[in-house]
Amino acid sequence: MGILGPLAFLTSLALAVAAWLVGPGLLARWRWRRVQRRPFPAAWRAILHRRMPLYARLPPELQRRLRQRAQWLIAEKPFIGCAGLVVDDEMRVLIAAQAALLLLHPQAGRFAELRQVLVYPGPFVVERASQDGSGLTHESRRALAGESWQQGRVLLSWLDVRAGAADPGDGRNVVIHEFAHQLDQERGRANGAPWLGGREHYARWAAVLGAEFAALRARLARGETGLIDAYAATSPAEFFAVVSEHFFEQPQALAQRHAALYAELARYYGVDPRAWHDGDESRDGPVAPSAAELADAPAVDARN
């Protein structure tokens, strides 16, 4: 009795430690399998057909994969209404499905660091303090369609979410943009280089995206325009998010004009969206954050 007591305690402690060490991964896989066993509701499928034209263009296997990823996000991530907005199934499904486009690679993760999706009725105002070269602090106010925080929050304007889903060929999609930032932020501050699966892949990624980023800035300095939106020249992080929008929404043009960049994104995302757009590229418990949190949070802005 005197010996068994300590032994039992030590055994329990060892099991507890082992469960703590391996538990999160095993639990996540169990939750993933449980979600995948649930049928995708017919009402949700109807939302995709009604509000997201790109969904119908995907091949059946990618449609299935997108539904799986979207269903997982809806089950695992809280979607929170802000500024009086009440989040409904249409909002959850449309946001999750567009975010799931970035997870179609068979080995893609599942936005592991994402904690909350905060949804505003329309563009929301944030205040920022910045210092100029002389050290003076300036306050500024901006209306944004979306924002991604390193602490695992994505903020979205529902008005812009719907607009982005309705037109899959204009190269502007706030959900793709902000969730690309989340991929970039999974291992620290966004820098335009998400996790690529191994150190050996970064040299090529840096060479291709670095050259394209420099070329964009040079074109803008000469007053020239092109396919890639000028906002991409803000920083390497914004470049990655913006070209991700072009990759999924204007793949034909991106592949023709920036072949190496397109190939690098196709390797990363594990899909080739050109077939989805054939013939249509003729055109070139938680609470909402306080104002103080919006001002202080390390964030990556979407285009305003």
Side-chain angles (χ1 to χ4, degrees):
M1 183 85 164
I3 295 175
L4 288 177
L7 285 175
F9 172 78
L10 290 173
T11 300
S12 298
L13 181 60
L15 290 172
V17 170
W20 180 81
L21 289 172
V22 303
L26 291 175
L27 182 60
R29 287 193 291 274
W30 176 80
R31 291 201 306 263
W32 168 257
R33 288 193 293 268
R34 184 186 62 177
V35 169
Q36 299 319 301
R37 285 195 292 268
R38 301 174 188 168
F40 194 83
W44 292 8
R45 198 182 299 238
I47 291 169
L48 295 179
H49 283 286
R50 185 171 66 249
R51 297 295 187 194
M52 187 178 171
L54 184 59
Y55 171 76
R57 304 178 187 180
L58 300 177
E61 170 56 23
L62 290 186
Q63 287 185 352
R64 182 192 65 80
R65 207 176 295 169
L66 183 139
R67 293 195 304 270
Q68 284 184 335
R69 272 57 166 176
Q71 193 167 8
W72 164 263
L73 290 172
I74 292 168
E76 292 293 312
K77 313 296 182 182
F79 291 72
I80 303 161
C82 303
L85 183 69
V86 177
V87 175
D88 59 20
D89 278 354
E90 178 168 297
M91 297 175 189
R92 294 185 188 91
V93 170
L94 203 54
I95 293 169
Q98 292 177 86
L101 288 168
L102 281 64
L103 304 181
L104 291 178
H105 193 298
Q107 280 78 51
R110 304 182 192 120
F111 299 116
E113 301 304 315
L114 179 65
R115 298 291 176 264
Q116 300 172 348
V117 179
L118 308 176
V119 190
Y120 288 81
F124 49 93
V125 176
V126 298
E127 297 183 0
R128 292 280 187 262
S130 59
Q131 285 190 338
D132 61 21
S134 62
L136 295 175
T137 300
H138 301 273
E139 299 285 343
S140 62
R141 291 168 59 87
R142 299 179 61 195
L144 301 179
E147 193 167 57
S148 175
W149 292 5
Q150 190 177 327
Q151 299 96 326
R153 281 177 169 176
V154 168
L155 289 69
L156 296 168
S157 154
W158 171 238
L159 186 67
D160 290 276
V161 168
R162 283 191 59 178
D167 189 344
D170 65 351
R172 299 180 66 90
N173 186 297
V174 68
V175 176
I176 291 174
H177 187 107
E178 300 307 332
F179 279 85
H181 281 318
Q182 276 295 303
L183 293 174
D184 197 4
Q185 292 169 321
E186 284 186 347
R187 292 172 180 262
R189 286 186 175 273
N191 60 7
W195 172 243
L196 301 176
R199 188 173 298 178
E200 65 277 9
H201 302 299
Y202 284 94
R204 185 180 61 212
W205 179 274
V208 173
L209 273 75
E212 288 281 2
F213 179 66
L216 173 62
R217 285 190 154 187
R219 286 195 300 273
L220 293 174
R222 295 192 300 266
E224 300 173 4
T225 59
L227 174 70
I228 300 174
D229 191 280
Y231 189 70
T234 305
S235 68
E238 293 300 346
F239 184 82
F240 169 60
V242 170
V243 297
S244 293
E245 294 178 82
H246 291 303
F247 175 75
F248 284 103
E249 295 216 337
Q250 297 174 318
Q252 305 276 19
L254 189 66
Q256 290 168 4
R257 303 179 198 182
H258 306 274
L261 174 61
Y262 185 87
E264 202 63 26
L265 293 171
R267 273 189 290 268
Y268 174 66
Y269 286 118
V271 291
D272 182 355
R274 286 175 292 185
W276 315 345
H277 291 268
D278 281 345
D280 73 349
E281 285 200 21
S282 57
R283 298 169 303 175
D284 274 342
V287 297
S290 66
E293 287 179 300
L294 282 170
D296 294 337
V300 183
D301 298 342
R303 291 175 287 177
N304 55 359

